[in-house]
Structure formats: structure tokens, C-alpha cells
Amino acid sequence: MVAAIINGKEIAAKKRLEIAKMVENLKENDIVPGLAVILVGNNAASRTYVTNKQKACQELGMNSLLIELPEAVSEKELLGKIIELNDNPKFHGILVQLPLPKHIDEKKVIETISPLKDVDGFHPVNIGRMMIGQDGFLPCTPFGIMILLEETGISVAGKHVVIVGRSNIVGKPLGQLMLNQHATVTYCHSKTKDLKLHTSQADILIAAVGIPNFIKAEDVKEGAVVIDVGINRNESGKLCGDVDFAEVSQKAGFITPVPKGVGPMTITMLLYNTVKAASESIHR
Ligand code: NAD
């Protein structure tokens, strides 16, 4: 079987058109959705992510502000900036680009962002709301994966979803979103014994490991849906996922490529969350 490609770039473009319309509607109410991004230090990858997020905001006619702080900034000063932004009505979403320097407590930073402006969906309040199926901000990568599946016409209800990876930003919340939509979920991680036993039973297999070409054809059930979250570089420096695309695409039913798979959806859902925050600010 040769897998159908789930084109994340196309689905993201379609969603961004819908979000652009939401921005237009808000502008009629004199609200311009605004995202404030804080970048600490000079990590090249973080800078690229931040630039992409800002560009995406501008393309949709949203406001974006980049606050750059030096690597040596104190935790107190960073928290102070967040508190200022919490009170600034011009910015509906606040994002602190991770990772942070070691002297800053990431947990404290996340908890200082108002849950009402937590467009990354990392605040414990939003994570808790997601757990019990209440409205809040969903973490962007898992949210984007749910939309990819929905737009491809793949229902998760009753399916066996196997997730390899249990990070707080991808694997764990994704499992919860799948469960909320009635999937049967298995989590696998670095301590899982006989990984293949689990992955080869998946109707929907999610790879969020961070190891290039980790999932091979032998790990996948014939016809399965395979979602590759990984963003890695192979030995020749080329971008690649956690799934060995060349072999798995010959066995799976659907597969996301890297790039142009999950990646474009992450920023799209950040834009969506920011517009949602802006529209909810009207009622406060
Ligand atoms: P992480 O390093 O926080 O977590 C990796 C997970 O993989 C851990 O839970 C670990 O238990 C598991 N793991 C490690 N080795 C394993 C093994 N041998 N067998 C089974 N499980 C194993 O990573 P993360 O932040 O969740 O990111 C995972 C990948 O997804 C990375 O490549 C990252 O760059 C990428 N990512 C992509 C996007 C996107 O927008 N596409 C967003 C976030 C992360």
C-alpha cells in the first residue's frame, strides 16, 4: 500500500484564510488581535521560530511585538515583563519562547502568564481545562494534529491511538485530546518495553520522539495513519522527522511528511488561539 500524504501546508493555508476572516470581523469591532513574544538570549533556532511566528501574525493583519531580553536577564525582570503584558489590553496573547536559560524557572514563567492570554496552552489552568473537556487554550502542536486529522476526514473515535513520546507540550496533551474524542490511547516512552508490540497495533501512530527516522516500516500496521511530529536533522544536515518516510510511506494508509506536515499547523493554531483570546476579551 502506498500512503496518501496529509499535506499540512495546504491545510494550514486553508485554516489561515478562516483565521484572516476572524481578524477582519474583530477589526470591525475596533479590535486588532495582538501577540507579544518574549525571546531570551540568542538561540538561533528560537530566533527562527519567533521570526516565523511574527511573520505569520503580520500576514494575517495582526499586531505582533517582539521583546528581546539578554541571556543574563534576571528571572524577576522577565516575570515583571510578563505581568506588564498581562495588563496591556493591546496584546491578547503572550508567548515566552522556550527553552529558557538555566537560571530561570520555566514553570514559574508559564504560571505567571495570565491563563486568559496563554496562547501556547501551557498554563496548568488550561491543561486542567483540557483534561476535563472544558473550553480553554489548547497546546498548539497537539491541537494542530487534531485539525489535520479532522480536515483529512479521519475520525479518531474508537480507534487505537499509540503515541510515542510523553512530553508536556506534545505527547501528553495529544493523548488527552484523542481521549476526549473517544479514542483508545496508549502512551509509549523511553522506558517502554517492546515498543514495536505497541506501535504495530496502532490504527493511528504518532511519533514525537526527536530521533531521526526512528519509526521503521516493521513498527507500523499495514494501512495505519502515521503522524510524524519530529523535527530533526539527519547525518547530512537535512530536515527529517521521527519516521522513516521512504519505507513507512509504502505501508501506511496516510502519512504526514517532514517538512510540510505537522510543522505549519503549530503556528496556525497559535494564530487561532490569539484571535480566540482577542475575541473573548470583548466580553470582559
Ligand atoms: P521531548 O524530548 O520533550 O520528548 C521526547 C519523548 O520521546 C520523551 O517523552 C521520551 O520518553 C520519548 N523517547 C525518547 N527516546 C525514546 C525511545 N527510544 N523509545 C520511545 N520513546 C522515546 O520532545 P518533544 O518536545 O515532545 O518533541 C519531540 C519531537 O517533536 C522533536 O523532534 C521536536 O523537535 C518535535 N516537535 C515538533 C513540533 C512541530 O511543530 N512539528 C513541535 C514540538 C516538537
Side-chain angles (χ1 to χ4, degrees):
M1 176 175 229
V2 179
I5 307 291
I6 301 179
N7 188 328
K9 202 173 167 207
E10 266 177 33
I11 295 172
K14 180 181 166 212
K15 282 282 145 194
R16 287 188 200 195
L17 283 180
E18 290 171 23
I19 299 167
K21 287 206 185 87
M22 291 160 72
V23 173
E24 283 309 310
N25 287 342
L26 281 168
K27 283 186 178 169
E28 281 166 22
N29 285 300
D30 294 325
I31 293 181
V32 183
L35 174 69
V37 178
I38 301 181
L39 175 65
V40 180
N42 229 334
N43 178 314
S46 292
R47 186 166 290 279
T48 307
Y49 291 139
V50 162
T51 307
N52 290 342
K53 286 167 188 175
Q54 285 217 291
K55 207 170 129 231
C57 278
Q58 284 150 12
E59 279 168 6
L60 263 62
M62 295 161 62
N63 272 333
S64 75
L65 169 73
L66 174 61
I67 298 176
E68 294 191 57
L69 298 172
E71 181 87 15
V73 70
S74 69
E75 184 179 280
K76 193 168 166 224
E77 196 181 330
L78 173 58
L79 297 182
K81 277 276 173 253
I82 296 171
I83 292 164
E84 261 174 46
L85 289 167
N86 282 343
D87 293 333
N88 184 338
K90 236 183 110 187
F91 295 99
H92 309 92
I94 303 170
L95 181 155
V96 179
Q97 186 65 45
L98 304 177
L100 291 167
K102 287 199 170 44
H103 66 278
I104 298 176
D105 182 350
E106 219 164 84
K107 204 169 104 233
K108 244 192 223 169
V109 169
I110 290 171
E111 289 187 14
T112 302
I113 297 172
S114 161
L116 302 172
K117 296 193 175 188
D118 167 42
V119 287
D120 252 341
F122 293 165
H123 194 288
V125 166
N126 283 313
I127 296 289
R129 289 202 172 122
M130 179 187 66
M131 284 288 292
I132 54 175
Q134 281 186 2
D135 184 44
F137 294 108
L138 300 176
C140 301
T141 301
F143 190 11
I145 292 170
M146 298 310 286
I147 300 289
L148 273 186
L149 293 173
E150 188 185 305
E151 288 287 325
T152 311
I154 298 168
S155 161
V156 307
K159 303 269 171 64
H160 184 194
V161 176
V162 177
I163 302 176
V164 190
R166 56 169 165 183
S167 71
N168 286 341
I169 62 166
V170 185
K172 263 189 233 169
L174 180 59
Q176 188 61 52
L177 292 180
M178 292 284 185
L179 183 64
N180 290 358
Q181 293 202 7
H182 317 294
T184 302
V185 181
T186 300
Y187 287 99
C188 299
H189 46 79
S190 53
K191 300 280 190 292
T192 298
K193 288 181 187 147
D194 199 355
L195 186 70
K196 187 176 152 195
L197 174 76
H198 302 286
T199 57
S200 60
Q201 290 180 46
D203 300 316
I204 301 176
L205 177 62
I206 315 284
V209 190
I211 303 177
N213 301 324
F214 182 70
I215 300 289
K216 301 287 182 190
E218 60 175 24
D219 302 315
V220 177
K221 182 167 84 174
E222 185 84 36
V225 176
V226 178
I227 305 291
D228 189 351
V229 187
I231 304 179
N232 313 299
R233 300 265 166 200
N234 65 15
E235 318 81 56
S236 29
K238 204 171 154 246
L239 208 61
C240 73
D242 291 348
V243 175
D244 188 328
F245 185 86
E247 46 178 85
V248 175
S249 62
Q250 301 304 306
K251 194 173 180 189
F254 289 88
I255 191 166
T256 58
V258 176
K260 297 184 185 167
V262 173
M265 292 306 289
T266 298
I267 295 191
T268 304
M269 300 334 286
L270 173 70
L271 299 170
Y272 173 84
N273 279 348
T274 305
V275 172
K276 173 176 154 72
S279 89
E280 286 169 357
S281 73
I282 301 176
H283 310 294
R284 283 198 297 277

